[in-house]
Amino acid sequence: GEDVEQSLFLSVREGDSSVINCTYTDSSSTYLYWYKQEPGAGLQLLTYIFSNMDMKQDQRLTVLLNKKDKHLSLRIADTQTGDSAIYFCADGSSNTGKLIFGQGTTLQVKP
Amino acid sequence: DAMVIQNPRYQVTQFGKPVTLSCSQTLNHNVMYWYQQKSSQAPKLLFHYYDKDFNNEADTPDNFQSRRPNTSFCFLDIRSPGLGDAAMYLCATSREPGQLNTEAFFGQGTRLTVV
């Protein structure tokens, strides 16, 4: 079945760039998503990328997709303490809209 | 304004006592989903409704049921909660599954504690 993998933890200093990586197995993926989850809260959609794109930029966020290697990354420029959260990569290729989530990367931003 | 609203935010229930979690949406979306997220784990889909059609995931226990009386509301019923059912339950909606610009919108979640 489909699987999505992420590294579990990333620590950066305020003002640096953060890069969170994700790999997936489904070769028919059409949409890949990044969600942010703050402690005790639901999931906030940050951005998504369609599989025929290799890059998408939205303000401080840059998503890179390497479809050949099935690798997705999220770059956050000028990382702030408010960016501290868990970031989930999700594969949304199913016709049902079902999302397969990675286990989440905890981003710690140090002042 | 909140578009997917889950009530309550926190629910404590007794072992074996039926409990219902609710979700409402103001987006008029066709699809409503229930995900279970255990501590430090990825959210996992339990089931979803596409309009009135109920779609259960193969590995969702029978203890979990759902109702969707109208477009706006969807309920998650846990018939006999066990300690292992303690988790955050996330409701999500989308306009159409698998189509462009039909990303899922999530509610804030209900954290269920079983005592």
Side-chain angles (χ1 to χ4, degrees):
Chain A
E2 304 102 340
D3 193 24
V4 178
E5 298 278 339
Q6 297 177 240
S7 53
L8 294 181
F9 187 77
L10 175 66
S11 180
V12 300
R13 293 226 171 263
E14 193 172 20
D16 288 350
S17 291
S18 308
V19 179
I20 302 171
N21 294 300
C22 171
T23 57
Y24 59 96
T25 58
D26 188 353
S27 57
S28 62
S29 291
T30 49
Y31 300 102
L32 293 144
Y33 300 86
W34 284 103
Y35 282 87
K36 176 183 179 183
Q37 187 176 39
E38 297 184 8
L43 297 170
Q44 175 195 352
L45 178 67
L46 289 177
T47 186
Y48 65 90
I49 190 166
F50 189 43
S51 62
N52 68 354
M53 301 167 66
D54 50 23
M55 187 182 92
K56 181 178 179 182
Q57 186 151 6
D58 183 1
Q59 298 181 343
R60 291 192 298 123
L61 305 179
T62 303
V63 179
L64 295 178
L65 175 61
N66 181 328
K67 198 172 178 182
K68 174 174 169 288
D69 294 340
K70 299 193 183 111
H71 181 268
L72 181 74
S73 68
L74 174 70
R75 179 177 180 270
I76 305 172
D78 187 25
T79 313
Q80 303 297 307
T81 54
D83 295 324
S84 293
I86 302 175
Y87 290 80
F88 287 94
C89 168
D91 174 1
S93 60
S94 167
N95 290 334
T96 65
K98 172 182 177 178
L99 295 172
I100 307 293
F101 286 90
Q103 62 270 57
T105 300
T106 298
L107 175 64
Q108 178 190 67
V109 183
K110 296 179 181 177
Chain B
D1 290 335
M3 296 178 286
V4 182
I5 302 159
Q6 291 188 243
N7 282 306
R9 289 289 309 277
Y10 301 92
Q11 175 74 57
V12 180
T13 191
Q14 288 181 331
F15 182 94
K17 184 175 180 183
V19 65
T20 295
L21 310 181
S22 83
C23 177
S24 63
Q25 53 133 339
T26 59
L27 298 162
N28 206 33
H29 280 174
N30 290 330
V31 194
M32 294 187 78
Y33 306 84
W34 279 105
Y35 284 83
Q36 178 193 60
Q37 185 183 21
K38 294 189 177 180
S39 182
S40 303
Q41 295 186 22
K44 183 173 173 299
L45 184 66
L46 293 173
F47 28 58
H48 74 277
Y49 270 96
Y50 185 5
D51 288 334
K52 294 180 182 178
D53 292 334
F54 177 71
N55 297 272
N56 202 26
E57 292 297 300
D59 54 356
T60 298
D62 292 340
N63 198 22
F64 291 87
Q65 304 286 323
S66 187
R67 296 170 284 135
R68 189 178 185 187
N70 53 52
T71 300
S72 301
F73 285 87
C74 193
F75 300 99
L76 169 62
D77 300 308
I78 309 176
R79 291 193 296 190
S80 182
L83 298 177
D85 297 327
M88 173 80 93
Y89 289 88
L90 296 163
C91 174
T93 74
S94 69
R95 190 164 61 242
E96 286 290 333
Q99 303 294 319
L100 185 62
N101 293 330
T102 60
E103 61 270 23
F105 292 88
F106 281 81
Q108 290 288 82
T110 294
R111 182 164 296 283
L112 178 69
T113 301
V114 182
V115 298

